[in-house]
Amino acid sequence: MPEDGPGLFDLPAARSGGFEPARLTQARARRGISKAELAHSVDVSPAAIGQYEAGVNSPRPEVLDRLADALEVRPGFFGVGRPFARIDAVNAHFRSLRSARVSDRQKALATATFVWELTFALERCVKLPEVDLPTVPAGTSPAEAATLLRQHWHLPEGPVKHLVATAESKGIVVAVRPLREIDAVDAFSAVIVDRPIIITTPRRSENVFRHRFSIAHEIGHLLLHGECGEHNSSVEKEADEFAAAFLTPAASMDAALPQRLDVAALDRLGRTWGVSPKSLVRRMVERARTTESSARRAYQRLAMTDDPLADPTSSYPGEMPSLLRKAAALAGDYGTGAPALAEALRISPAQVRDLLGDADQRPVLRLVGDEG
């Protein structure tokens, strides 16, 4: 966060009723609804919602209750006195650059702030891994940064085992959120109060190789781009280059890649290194083992033979994050379970479990006539 930006813990002076306007914006953004839509649901004017969020007026108690119902939080959620992470879109690295609207990014960031707030609440009773990312000097290439990180994390030569667990052990919070929350931005990363957070989706995590590359891509952003605030294809390309160099170092690939473009051999090699054959085809181009035209033909063959159901990795649940769930379980052992976390965050225990990644497995009862 910029040093001259709004302080993450600098809560404004208590207003009438202890209402924190930014909390209303946060809750509304996470739900992805407009001021007009919220105004309609709570029976006030859109201008009133704007005044609440601008801090010009505070909602009456009965309106506050309706706002809480509409936004699925407790009325106390809007109160002052809790740490609040303020983050701007320029401080996050969004994968999708063209399709994501400002509102999409705000919605994704609101999700990230909820994840951070849960992390912060957990840290009050559980000591989480310290953030362990090296400082990368300006001008460092993606490949050099990948080598630096491997050395800093003391990773042995060869495949990176369980990348998500490795990242979490270095203090990076990883969360897989439902598509409805971040579908438009797909995956992104940000540093919130010195805590790096990577948010991804079930679409990214459904294939373990794709998920690993996606996580490595976001780590590349965290290392190389920090708070640069640039969102362009060049930055995304650098993150891809970092991911390839980190997961499949050039020296190792020079020894392991086949001499000719053999898709079957690349498939076997990919399963050893935890990367897709397509990624290795790209690596062969980068290591001057094949040409772009040959690579395009290989991509076409891979697309024709791609059968997710026949892929033996399709039954593997993938490298799912576990840091927050384990921290919550430990906190629960010491008396701070989901209800206590929910009270701290002013949301429901079910929402806490959702943020932890614990899907509600209960069957859904639908009464006749539910569909109208």
Side-chain angles (χ1 to χ4, degrees):
M1 295 293 292
E3 292 183 358
D4 57 352
L8 294 167
F9 293 94
D10 293 341
L11 293 171
R15 301 177 179 82
S16 174
F19 176 73
E20 168 53 58
R23 285 287 185 192
L24 177 57
T25 305
Q26 178 194 21
R28 182 178 61 78
R30 191 183 183 215
R31 295 277 293 163
I33 59 178
S34 67
K35 294 177 184 176
E37 291 169 332
L38 179 59
H40 177 75
S41 66
V42 300
D43 195 25
V44 299
S45 69
I49 298 296
Q51 290 173 347
Y52 300 155
E53 293 194 9
V56 176
N57 288 321
S58 296
R60 299 187 305 276
E62 63 272 22
V63 175
L64 199 66
D65 290 342
R66 297 203 295 271
L67 288 169
D69 286 342
L71 298 173
E72 298 182 351
V73 295
R74 300 182 184 184
F77 180 85
F78 304 111
V80 298
R82 302 194 312 285
F84 181 51
R86 299 167 188 268
I87 182 170
D88 193 85
V90 299
N91 299 117
H93 304 286
F94 292 104
R95 184 73 54 84
S96 180
L97 301 173
R98 296 178 180 174
S99 59
R101 301 167 299 179
V102 171
S103 59
D104 293 328
R105 297 182 183 189
Q106 290 176 337
K107 183 178 180 180
L109 286 178
T111 290
T113 57
F114 269 80
V115 171
W116 174 80
E117 287 179 37
L118 175 60
T119 304
F120 185 86
L122 285 168
E123 282 193 285
R124 290 187 165 180
C125 47
V126 176
K127 187 174 182 180
L128 299 182
E130 297 286 343
V131 178
D132 185 17
L133 286 172
T135 300
V136 175
T140 302
S141 72
E144 292 169 340
T147 300
L148 176 64
L149 184 62
R150 271 185 167 259
Q151 293 172 346
H152 186 81
W153 282 357
H154 303 294
L155 296 178
E157 293 185 5
V160 178
K161 295 181 179 178
H162 210 309
L163 177 60
V164 172
T166 300
E168 291 185 314
S169 72
K170 304 303 180 182
I172 300 173
V173 172
V174 180
V176 178
R177 298 304 305 159
L179 288 173
R180 66 178 183 276
E181 293 184 0
I182 64 166
D183 186 25
V185 301
D186 201 16
F188 69 101
S189 56
V191 177
I192 306 178
V193 196
D194 299 327
R195 178 65 71 179
I197 293 177
I198 294 175
I199 306 285
T200 185
T201 69
R203 186 167 51 217
R204 288 277 166 187
S205 60
E206 66 184 2
N207 179 285
V208 62
F209 300 147
R210 188 182 188 199
H211 194 212
R212 282 167 56 87
F213 195 89
S214 181
I215 296 298
H217 174 105
E218 297 303 331
I219 293 174
H221 277 314
L222 294 171
L223 276 182
L224 292 167
H225 305 129
E227 299 170 350
C228 72
E230 294 183 15
H231 300 150
N232 55 53
S233 57
S234 175
V235 167
E236 293 302 304
K237 183 180 178 182
E238 287 184 357
D240 277 345
E241 291 174 358
F242 171 89
F246 183 71
L247 294 174
T248 52
S252 298
M253 288 299 99
D254 286 344
L257 286 171
Q259 293 302 315
R260 61 184 181 83
L261 218 167
D262 182 336
V263 172
L266 292 178
D267 183 66
R268 292 192 295 272
L269 184 64
R271 294 179 192 283
T272 299
W273 283 80
V275 297
S276 68
K278 184 177 179 181
S279 173
L280 290 176
V281 171
R282 169 50 44 190
R283 212 71 176 111
M284 288 192 71
V285 174
E286 294 168 351
R287 304 310 299 166
R289 293 289 181 90
T290 193
T291 63
E292 288 283 3
S293 60
S294 294
R296 283 194 292 273
R297 289 194 292 273
Y299 294 148
Q300 291 171 352
R301 292 203 300 275
L302 288 170
M304 291 175 62
T305 59
D306 181 43
D307 182 358
L309 295 179
D311 188 338
T313 65
S314 63
S315 60
Y316 175 54
E319 296 190 0
M320 300 305 292
S322 60
L323 174 66
L324 295 184
R325 282 207 308 274
K326 290 181 177 177
L330 184 57
D333 290 343
Y334 285 85
T336 307
L341 292 169
E343 175 60 31
L345 300 176
R346 308 295 193 270
I347 57 179
S348 69
Q351 287 172 311
V352 168
R353 287 189 285 271
D354 175 60
L355 287 170
L356 291 171
D358 291 334
D360 190 345
Q361 301 293 337
R362 295 174 301 172
V364 177
L365 171 65
R366 296 192 184 283
L367 300 178
V368 175
D370 270 3
E371 305 301 328

